[in-house]
């Protein structure tokens, strides 16, 4: 245990006040001895005694033969200065005269506390030895590939208190011992799967107040409405905050042991999360985590807390976009490239990966479409390995994102059915096909128009194109000139085909209902991939 840690821990836990200490080497302490037990062969020893014993010691010739950078001192000094005593502030002067001030670790304490300091320091070092053993066990368990639940149960037993792991968005990932948590607030937190607003608010208050650790050093969180004090350690991955490990102090904690072990618990948790597909999403940004929460149905009050705490600005009119890359683009390097391209095309949008898809939340125009220039740039991605782009209906309430996401998923299934290639698909443009997809395909053909079957049979026997002609007529709303252009035939040829169609089927092209039935019949047969 480092000399500085011993001093700081004794000050914090036992309300001792050291003066005039120097941390030139911040020596790793292996043993603690009284000054009267001094040996010239010692290494990594913290000696404790009064200033007179020290003065007597340094007068020996053998002392200066010793590499005293390898030892440290806690020296007791009388508080009331007399002719025969050395005042507290003179410790630095003494060390300076011995040319030791900047080369040896030392600290001063009132002489009456020397025995107490000796006892406490020894107890602390013994506790550190225990910590090292527990840490070694923890790391061995992690290396053997243990799961998250078992790791937390092991750590909880060592700390004698329950543990909770949360991500950076304060969603609860796992707990150790739910049954011994009597705090109704934390019971509710665990049941609903995320932390209370009071806890989140307190963490952010500490962060703003400072000093707040930018590493995994343990810090305390106290909430007015909670029964327990919380000891927390941040979990980092590549210098990025991905979550917290929290110890609920149900039982009186050994503070120094907890401060040693909790950061290692967090590190082990991170290793397990990285190798578990279920948890990989937590290594994204806060915005990505928020999107994940939304599309998986987080409760509205939790989302509103996240928006408020993280000051997320949303657009008034939004759409959800699903982009599905090919297998090559699905590797991590190409995915990063694709995200950068999307950020250029759709600035101020939020993006995350969910299974094979990239999910994007972005601004839409009032008509529910994205900008035409953005559409063109997105379409260019089809030539760079993107297989599908689907866009939901627009919405202005962020809680509607889950529904919009499922619209896009449904749209992708329809794209496969219709074999849509290199085309941005809007949910609103494919409403009829989406409706068909909810019905049993075997039953759909009964809703087709009988005229289409007649024309297919005729075309097959006579190698004609009457089915295609009627489809073009319906699509062009029976505008003869436009239909002829679409079919690339002369108008007289079109008139001949139309008369043939009418003779074969008896359809009434003056009847709007008949035209409507023909229109949806062609869509049904397209969806069912009926051979023409």
């Amino acid at each position: 245990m480092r000399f500085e840690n011993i001093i700081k821990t004794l000050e914090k836990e036992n309300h001792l006040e050291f003066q005039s200490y120097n941390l030139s080497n911040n020596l790793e302490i292996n043993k603690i001895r009284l000054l009267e037990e001094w040996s010239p062969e010692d290494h990594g020893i913290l000696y404790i005694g009064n200033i007179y014993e020290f003065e007597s010691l340094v007068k020996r010739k053998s002392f200066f033969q010793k590499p005293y950078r390898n030892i440290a001192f806690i020296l007791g000094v009388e508080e009331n200065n007399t002719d025969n005593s050395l005042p507290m502030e003179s410790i630095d002067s003494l060390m300076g005269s011995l040319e030791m001030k900047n080369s040896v670790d030392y600290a001063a304490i009132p002489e009456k506390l020397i025995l107490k300091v000796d006892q406490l320091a020894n107890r602390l070092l013994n506790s550190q030895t225990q910590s090292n053993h527990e840490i070694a066990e923890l790391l061995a368990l992690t290396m053997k590939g243990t799961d998250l639940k078992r790791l937390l149960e092991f750590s909880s037993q060592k700390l004698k208190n329950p543990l909770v792991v949360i991500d950076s968005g304060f969603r609860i990932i796992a707990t150790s011992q739910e049954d011994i948590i009597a705090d109704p607030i934390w019971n509710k937190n665990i049941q609903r799967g995320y932390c209370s607003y009071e806890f989140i608010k307190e963490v952010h208050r500490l962060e703003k107040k400072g000093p707040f650790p930018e590493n995994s050093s343990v810090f305390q969180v106290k909430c007015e409405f909670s029964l327990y004090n919380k000891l927390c350690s941040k979990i980092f991955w590549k210098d990025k905050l991905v979550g917290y490990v929290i110890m609920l102090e149900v039982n009186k904690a050994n503070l120094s042991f907890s401060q040693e072990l909790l950061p290692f618990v967090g590190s082990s948790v991170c290793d397990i999360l990285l190798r578990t597909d279920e948890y990989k999403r937590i290594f994204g940004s806060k915005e990505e985590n928020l999107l994940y929460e939304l599309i998986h149905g987080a409760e509205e009050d939790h989302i509103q807390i996240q928006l408020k705490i993280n000051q997320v600005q949303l657009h008034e009119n939004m759409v959800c976009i699903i982009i599905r890359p090919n297998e090559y683009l699905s590797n991590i390097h190409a995915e990063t490239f694709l995200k950068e391209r999307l950020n250029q095309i759709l600035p101020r949008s939020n993006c995350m990966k969910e299974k094979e898809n990239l999910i994007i939340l972005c601004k839409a125009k009032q008509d529910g479409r994205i900008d035409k220039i953005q559409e063109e740039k997105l379409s260019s991605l089809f030539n760079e390995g993107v297989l599908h782009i689907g866009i939901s209906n627009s919405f202005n309430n962020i809680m509607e994102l889950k529904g919009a996401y499922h619209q896009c998923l449904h749209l992708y299934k329809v794209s496969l059915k219709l074999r849509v290639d290199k085309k941005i698909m809007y949910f609103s443009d494919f409403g009829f096909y989406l409706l068909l997809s909810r019905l049993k395909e075997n039953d759909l053909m009964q809703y087709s128009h009988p005229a289409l079957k007649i024309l297919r049979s005729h075309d097959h026997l006579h190698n004609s194109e009457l089915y295609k002609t009627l489809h073009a007529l319906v699509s062009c709303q029976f505008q003869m000139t436009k239909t002829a252009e679409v079919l690339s035939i002369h108008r007289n040829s079109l008139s001949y085909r139309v008369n043939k169609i009418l003779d074969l089927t008896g359809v009434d092209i003056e009847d709007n209902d008949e035209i409507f039935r023909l229109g949806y019949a062609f869509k049904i047969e397209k969806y069912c991939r009926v051979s023409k």
Side-chain angles (χ1 to χ4, degrees):
M1 191 173 192
R2 296 287 177 184
F3 180 67
E4 180 182 17
N5 291 343
I6 292 175
I7 298 299
K8 297 294 187 184
T9 304
L10 290 176
E11 284 185 326
K12 188 171 184 179
E13 291 190 15
N14 304 102
H15 308 292
L16 300 176
E17 186 175 350
F18 289 87
Q19 299 182 30
S20 302
Y21 53 77
N22 184 65
L23 303 170
S24 298
N25 306 306
N26 198 15
L27 186 70
E28 180 71 32
I29 303 300
N30 301 314
K31 293 181 181 179
I32 297 174
R33 292 180 180 170
L34 294 174
L35 263 176
E36 60 190 38
E37 299 171 342
W38 181 80
S39 167
E41 304 302 323
D42 287 339
H43 178 83
I45 309 298
L46 171 59
Y47 283 105
I48 300 177
N50 64 46
I51 190 65
Y52 306 111
E53 290 174 313
F54 178 76
E55 285 183 296
S56 175
L57 176 65
V58 297
K59 290 177 182 178
R60 304 182 193 178
K61 291 182 179 180
S62 60
F63 178 80
F64 287 100
Q65 295 172 1
K66 173 182 174 57
Y68 48 74
R69 285 185 180 86
N70 294 328
I71 56 176
F73 301 94
I74 293 179
L75 303 175
V77 179
E78 290 185 14
E79 293 183 272
N80 296 321
N81 189 17
T82 66
D83 293 339
N84 297 321
S85 68
L86 189 67
M88 190 82 74
E89 59 269 18
S90 298
I91 290 284
D92 290 339
S93 299
L94 173 63
M95 290 299 186
S97 66
L98 296 172
E99 299 182 356
M100 295 173 62
K101 184 174 180 180
N102 297 318
S103 59
V104 67
D105 296 338
Y106 63 88
I109 195 80
E111 187 176 27
K112 65 182 181 181
L113 297 176
I114 283 294
L115 290 179
K116 181 178 181 180
V117 167
D118 179 53
Q119 292 173 347
L120 294 173
N122 271 290
R123 190 182 304 163
L124 185 60
L125 195 61
N126 290 335
S127 175
Q128 174 65 38
T129 302
Q130 178 198 0
S131 296
N132 292 339
H133 176 73
E134 308 296 6
I135 289 168
E137 276 194 83
L138 178 69
L139 296 178
L141 192 64
T142 306
M143 292 175 66
K144 289 178 181 177
T146 189
D147 60 30
L148 186 56
K149 190 70 176 178
R150 187 179 173 195
L151 176 84
L152 292 180
E153 287 174 353
F154 169 85
S155 304
S156 176
Q157 289 171 7
K158 300 301 180 183
L159 292 162
K160 297 181 174 57
N161 279 297
L163 295 173
V164 179
V165 174
I166 64 174
D167 64 18
S168 59
F170 297 92
R171 186 177 184 87
I172 294 173
I173 297 172
T175 61
S176 60
Q177 300 162 275
E178 301 173 26
D179 56 324
I180 68 167
I181 300 174
D183 189 329
I185 289 182
W186 275 91
N187 271 325
K188 184 178 180 181
N189 291 347
I190 292 167
Q191 288 172 9
R192 65 186 179 180
Y194 52 87
C195 298
S196 65
Y197 175 67
E198 290 77 15
F199 177 81
I200 300 172
K201 185 178 179 181
E202 180 63 16
V203 171
H204 280 269
R205 187 190 70 80
L206 290 171
E207 204 165 7
K208 291 178 181 179
K209 183 180 179 182
F212 195 65
E214 294 301 323
N215 52 32
S216 57
S217 297
V218 173
F219 61 94
Q220 295 187 38
V221 177
K222 295 182 179 180
C223 302
E224 181 181 351
F225 303 103
S226 178
L227 295 176
Y228 305 133
N229 178 45
K230 274 77 65 179
L231 295 182
C232 307
S233 176
K234 294 180 177 180
I235 302 173
F236 288 94
W237 178 68
K238 293 184 177 180
D239 298 325
K240 176 185 176 183
L241 177 67
V242 297
Y244 303 80
V245 56
I246 305 167
M247 186 186 83
L248 302 177
E249 200 172 358
V250 175
N251 304 305
K252 180 64 177 176
N254 181 330
L255 184 58
S256 59
F257 177 60
S258 302
Q259 289 174 329
E260 289 286 336
L261 191 62
L262 276 174
F264 285 95
V265 174
S267 177
S268 294
V269 165
C270 187
D271 287 343
I272 293 173
L273 296 178
L274 277 169
R275 63 174 183 249
T276 310
D277 290 339
E278 178 186 355
Y279 299 118
K280 285 186 177 178
R281 58 95 189 165
I282 76 166
F283 297 94
S285 65
K286 288 182 179 180
E287 289 77 12
E288 288 175 313
N289 284 333
L290 183 61
L291 288 184
Y292 179 89
E293 301 278 353
L294 284 162
I295 65 175
H296 287 86
E299 293 183 23
E300 184 170 1
D301 57 347
H302 174 60
I303 295 300
Q304 295 303 331
I305 289 170
Q306 292 293 340
L307 294 174
K308 182 178 179 180
I309 291 292
N310 295 308
Q311 298 180 332
V312 176
Q313 298 295 319
L314 298 172
H315 303 291
E316 290 185 1
N317 206 38
M318 301 168 280
V319 289
C320 176
I321 303 177
I322 275 186
I323 294 183
R324 192 178 186 91
N326 62 18
E327 290 183 7
Y328 168 73
L329 277 181
S330 291
N331 75 63
I332 189 167
H333 300 296
E335 179 191 325
T336 302
F337 162 76
L338 184 56
K339 283 184 176 180
E340 289 174 355
R341 291 277 284 114
L342 290 170
N343 189 50
Q344 294 169 359
I345 296 170
L346 302 168
R348 293 185 60 212
S349 62
N350 297 312
C351 179
M352 66 161 282
K353 185 173 184 181
E354 174 69 358
K355 298 180 180 177
E356 299 89 355
N357 302 311
L358 287 178
I359 315 299
I360 302 159
L361 176 66
C362 75
K363 181 180 180 180
K365 298 188 297 180
Q366 288 302 315
D367 62 359
R369 322 288 277 200
I370 61 173
D371 185 82
K372 282 290 182 186
I373 296 176
Q374 291 175 331
E375 273 189 8
E376 292 173 4
K377 291 180 178 179
L378 278 181
S379 295
S380 69
L381 297 178
F382 288 122
N383 299 319
E384 299 178 30
V386 167
L387 301 176
H388 168 75
I389 300 176
I391 303 179
S392 73
N393 288 336
S394 62
F395 55 94
N396 52 33
N397 181 350
I398 192 61
M399 297 309 299
E400 296 178 49
L401 177 60
K402 181 181 178 181
Y405 166 67
H406 284 282
Q407 285 181 357
C408 291
L409 291 180
H410 199 181
L411 195 56
Y412 174 66
K413 292 178 181 178
V414 169
S415 76
L416 297 177
K417 188 71 178 175
L418 298 178
R419 297 178 182 175
V420 177
D421 185 40
K422 295 186 176 181
K423 178 180 179 179
I424 294 176
M425 297 177 67
Y426 282 91
F427 187 87
S428 56
D429 293 344
F430 289 82
F432 188 78
Y433 294 112
L434 291 159
L435 181 63
L436 294 180
S437 70
R438 298 183 182 277
L439 303 175
K440 291 182 179 180
E441 189 171 326
N442 293 337
D443 297 334
L444 286 177
M445 285 300 295
Q446 66 179 309
Y447 300 107
S448 184
H449 198 292
L452 303 192
K453 184 177 181 180
I454 295 171
L455 296 179
R456 282 200 311 276
S457 298
H458 184 275
D459 288 344
H460 180 70
L461 291 173
H462 301 91
N463 196 28
S464 57
E465 294 186 330
L466 299 184
Y467 183 100
K468 179 181 177 181
T469 301
L470 182 57
H471 188 197
L473 273 168
V474 173
S475 298
C476 296
Q477 299 176 330
F478 285 85
Q479 297 179 35
M480 297 294 283
T481 302
K482 185 176 180 181
T483 303
E485 290 175 357
V486 168
L487 294 172
S488 299
I489 60 175
H490 194 275
R491 177 150 180 172
N492 291 339
S493 298
L494 176 60
S495 296
Y496 170 79
R497 290 186 186 182
V498 170
N499 290 330
K500 190 70 175 176
I501 290 168
L502 297 179
D503 288 342
L504 288 170
T505 63
V507 296
D508 183 358
I509 60 175
E510 301 296 328
D511 185 346
N512 289 333
D513 289 339
E514 184 90 290
I515 294 172
F516 174 73
R517 287 193 295 272
L518 287 169
Y520 75 64
F522 277 113
K523 291 182 183 296
I524 288 172
E525 296 203 354
K526 179 181 178 181
Y527 182 80
C528 294
R529 296 180 184 174
V530 173
S531 178
K532 303 176 182 61

